[in-house]
Amino acid sequence: MSYIRVYIACLMTTVLLLTCSVGHCRPNPPLDILPKRELRGVWIATVVNIDWPSAAGLDVAKQKQELIQQLDNHQRAGINAIMLQIRPAADAFYAKSKEPWSRFLTGKPGQQPSPFYDPLEFAITEAHNRGMELHAWMNPYRATFDLVTANTTSDHITKQKPNWFFVYGSKKLFNPGIPEVRNYITGIVMDVVRNYDIDGIHFDDYFYPYPEGGKPIPDAETFRQHPNGFRNIADWRRNNVNLLIHMVSDSIRAEKKYIKFGISPFGIWDNKKDHPRGSASSGLSGYRQLYADALKWLEEGWIDYINPQIYFPFGNTNAPYEVLTDWWGQHANGRHFYVGHAAYRVNENREGWRDRSQIPNQVRYARQHAHAQGSIYYSSKYIANNAAGLRDSLQYNLYRYKSLPPSMPWLDSVPPEPPFGLLAQASKNAASITLHWQPSAPATDGDEAYGYVIYRFNEGEELDLNNPQHILHITYDHTQLTYTDNMVRRNGHYRYIVTAIDRLKNESMPSNIRELYIE
């Protein structure tokens, strides 16, 4: 062994001993091998001001400032997708809506922001500027968050069509068994699809209501009026939900082929003791109690991704994280599977959650064992505020390199044409290199480039575009045809490549290579 090797070995031993003295002999976790393509999302909840805005009725400047701060923190953490709740309870965080402005935005139902702005438009622009997708998160069935009359406007849908709703758990809920209800909700979704430059439509886990004290759901009369050939009310309820999912899916596909449709169901589809296809778990069943048949949606190809809320730690008695993650990974049916992680639980003094590496290890497990294509965290403030150091784990390890969202070949498999004419020029003080390139020609399917990916390779490095370590920048702006690299040094030898991406993140062949030596 050479002297240098002995010195390095001694140095590493010293570092490990220092780590042991501080961290009870737990060496720092290894740096993970990272995928180039992975959905890295976060939910921004607006209902009762969970994440944003921090309080109802804040002035517009403060609202914008808070959202920008959260997005900046998420960008630093490596997040590339935002699930923004724009319809908490048959209301709106967007201007082009048939439903009234949300009281969680302005403090008063039906009151628009003053000075006026469109929060959804603002969020889309800011997310895209940071290389993040924006998925419009909508609650399809919750119509009110309470039964206080003053909390809804006189023209609220619950007052216009009172027969469309039932009361359960101190809330008014759309009755999924009524055909007009399904048409109405689909119409609300499509207003957003048509009018906004979103990347996806996202539903969460609220279908039929979570059971409350054994109270029955008051829809027996609806079942009698609209049985649709069913004799079993449970099968009928599941079919009612299926009809809506199918209708929304078909409507989105017909309008904009690139908009993704995803659903985040409860973490357990069904338990094996009750259904032969179920998981080895014993908790609440989305299939049985919420009438949400996620396997049906996947097998029919109605949705593009499934994002189950697996809010349990490893080894949980009733719902072990590893069992549920494996199960969903095996049942995705060719669609994307993103794990929903309970970031809100990272500070809990409970079994499993006392381990501050619980969620980082869940991410590792999902990547390696369940072949998940990504993760989404609930909720935004716990990532933005670095609860239990989770943002640090993402920023400096798990998400330390940029990533592209995984492509969806069933929606679009044609890559864009490559950019060309790449040029590179060093600044006079040799502190930066500016790249210029020519835009891609339209692809064979007529799609134009949506953005570009800039790669940099140091001297001696393999020109491997599959290694995310070399991604300098991702832009979702097809008009941006220049990029300045400020992370260069004297005597550096650099090679650059640019590729084009389309709306669904299909990537082109590389541009010409541009090589530059900084003296």
Side-chain angles (χ1 to χ4, degrees):
M1 183 182 288
S2 69
Y3 171 78
I4 292 176
R5 285 178 180 169
V6 171
Y7 173 76
I8 291 173
C10 290
L11 181 62
M12 290 175 67
T13 302
T14 303
V15 171
L16 181 58
L17 288 173
L18 288 172
T19 304
C20 287
S21 65
V22 176
H24 309 293
C25 275
R26 292 183 63 184
N28 292 323
L31 290 175
D32 298 90
I33 298 173
L34 306 185
K36 176 182 171 179
R37 287 189 178 267
E38 187 173 55
L39 195 287
R40 302 169 177 177
V42 65
W43 281 288
I44 297 183
T46 59
V47 66
V48 296
N49 304 102
I50 290 173
D51 290 312
W52 178 78
S54 61
L58 293 182
D59 67 70
V60 166
K62 180 65 173 174
Q63 290 177 12
K64 291 182 175 181
Q65 177 193 352
E66 285 187 353
L67 186 59
I68 285 174
Q69 185 174 9
Q70 289 195 42
L71 293 179
D72 283 344
N73 285 334
H74 296 328
Q75 183 183 27
R76 283 193 285 272
I79 297 297
N80 63 16
I82 301 296
M83 280 60 190
L84 176 65
Q85 188 177 33
I86 66 165
R87 185 181 184 255
D91 54 2
F93 270 70
Y94 56 103
K96 299 167 187 173
S97 173
K98 298 182 180 72
E99 296 178 318
W101 285 100
S102 176
R103 64 187 174 95
F104 303 123
L105 179 69
T106 61
K108 181 179 179 181
Q111 180 174 296
Q112 71 178 24
S114 180
F116 176 81
Y117 84 115
D118 189 326
L120 179 53
E121 288 277 15
F122 179 77
I124 291 168
T125 299
E126 295 297 331
H128 286 174
N129 284 347
R130 290 163 176 78
M132 300 174 180
E133 293 189 346
L134 194 291
H135 294 227
W137 166 18
M138 309 177 80
N139 296 86
Y141 291 128
R142 186 168 61 212
T144 69
F145 201 74
D146 53 41
L147 299 178
V148 178
T149 302
N151 285 339
T152 53
T153 59
S154 59
D155 61 348
H156 191 264
I157 190 64
T158 55
K159 295 175 180 175
Q160 291 181 331
K161 302 286 186 180
N163 294 333
W164 284 6
F165 304 89
F166 56 71
V167 173
Y168 192 91
S170 300
K171 297 177 178 64
K172 288 185 179 180
L173 304 169
F174 283 92
N175 187 337
I178 299 174
E180 291 81 5
V181 162
R182 298 192 290 270
N183 293 334
Y184 174 83
I185 294 172
T186 302
I188 293 296
V189 171
M190 292 310 297
D191 283 343
V192 176
V193 168
R194 293 187 187 100
N195 294 321
Y196 292 92
D197 190 27
I198 58 171
D199 299 282
I201 289 289
H202 183 89
F203 286 175
D204 60 17
D205 54 317
Y206 289 99
F207 293 98
Y208 277 86
Y210 278 79
E212 190 165 301
K215 296 176 183 176
I217 297 172
D219 62 350
E221 179 59 24
T222 311
F223 180 38
R224 189 189 66 79
Q225 292 176 355
H226 306 283
N228 275 351
F230 287 88
R231 295 185 177 182
N232 180 292
I233 196 168
D235 291 337
W236 172 77
R237 287 172 180 158
R238 277 186 284 271
N239 184 64
N240 292 334
V241 174
N242 291 343
L243 289 171
L244 175 70
I245 301 305
H246 191 185
M247 185 183 299
V248 169
S249 177
D250 283 353
S251 300
I252 294 171
R253 299 281 180 270
E255 186 69 28
K256 291 181 180 177
K257 68 175 185 178
Y258 61 82
I259 289 186
K260 305 169 183 179
F261 182 30
I263 298 180
S264 178
F266 183 71
I268 299 172
W269 174 73
D270 202 7
N271 301 296
K272 197 170 188 65
K273 64 184 177 61
D274 298 316
H275 198 295
R277 301 185 67 190
S279 53
S281 52
S282 56
L284 182 140
S285 159
Y287 176 87
R288 214 158 288 280
Q289 274 85 46
L290 307 180
Y291 306 98
D293 188 358
L295 287 196
K296 175 77 170 176
W297 313 333
L298 289 165
E299 289 165 356
E300 296 292 342
W302 295 338
I303 58 176
D304 301 304
Y305 65 85
I306 196 75
N307 172 215
Q309 298 171 18
I310 310 179
Y311 293 169
F312 311 98
F314 287 102
N316 182 270
T317 303
N318 296 321
Y321 170 83
E322 65 277 19
V323 169
L324 294 175
T325 304
D326 289 349
W327 187 92
W328 283 103
Q330 293 160 9
H331 290 85
N333 204 52
R335 294 308 197 234
H336 289 175
F337 161 42
Y338 311 142
V339 177
H341 295 280
Y344 71 96
R345 305 189 71 176
V346 294
N347 284 318
E348 289 184 0
N349 185 23
R350 297 172 62 179
E351 187 65 33
W353 297 108
R354 297 186 192 98
D355 179 3
R356 296 300 183 244
S357 62
Q358 175 71 228
I359 287 185
N361 285 337
Q362 288 186 359
V363 174
R364 294 184 180 100
Y365 185 93
R367 281 174 174 170
Q368 296 169 13
H369 298 279
H371 308 295
Q373 286 89 7
S375 297
I376 304 177
Y377 302 88
Y378 185 84
S379 68
S380 176
K381 64 185 177 185
Y382 298 93
I383 302 295
N385 297 339
N386 198 25
L390 180 56
R391 192 181 85 207
D392 285 346
S393 294
L394 302 180
Q395 180 172 343
Y396 299 114
N397 190 350
L398 294 165
Y399 295 169
R400 68 188 183 276
Y401 303 138
K402 298 180 186 299
S403 69
L404 286 169
S407 60
M408 294 182 169
W410 57 91
L411 294 181
D412 181 7
S413 61
V414 180
E417 293 295 310
F420 63 97
L422 177 63
L423 300 173
Q425 184 176 15
S427 61
K428 290 183 179 179
N429 61 0
S432 64
I433 295 174
T434 298
L435 308 177
H436 301 266
W437 62 90
Q438 298 301 310
S440 303
T444 56
D445 61 357
D447 289 351
E448 296 186 349
Y450 179 65
Y452 297 95
V453 184
I454 296 96
Y455 297 84
R456 187 185 79 177
F457 301 87
N458 297 326
E459 185 176 11
E461 289 182 333
E462 181 186 358
L463 295 178
D464 179 9
L465 297 187
N466 291 318
N467 185 345
Q469 181 177 354
H470 301 297
I471 298 177
L472 269 186
H473 184 65
I474 299 170
T475 174
Y476 287 175
D477 179 0
H478 70 281
T479 66
Q480 181 183 332
L481 302 174
T482 66
Y483 177 76
T484 299
D485 179 6
N486 294 307
M487 302 294 289
V488 299
R489 56 180 174 79
R490 290 189 180 275
N491 302 317
H493 188 177
Y494 304 105
R495 289 180 292 175
Y496 295 92
I497 292 172
V498 178
T499 62
I501 50 175
D502 63 17
R503 191 63 194 250
L504 277 158
K505 315 308 181 295
N506 294 303
E507 188 175 22
S508 75
M509 296 294 288
S511 69
N512 58 299
I513 301 169
R514 184 55 63 179
E515 195 165 353
L516 205 63
Y517 179 76
I518 301 291
E519 296 183 354

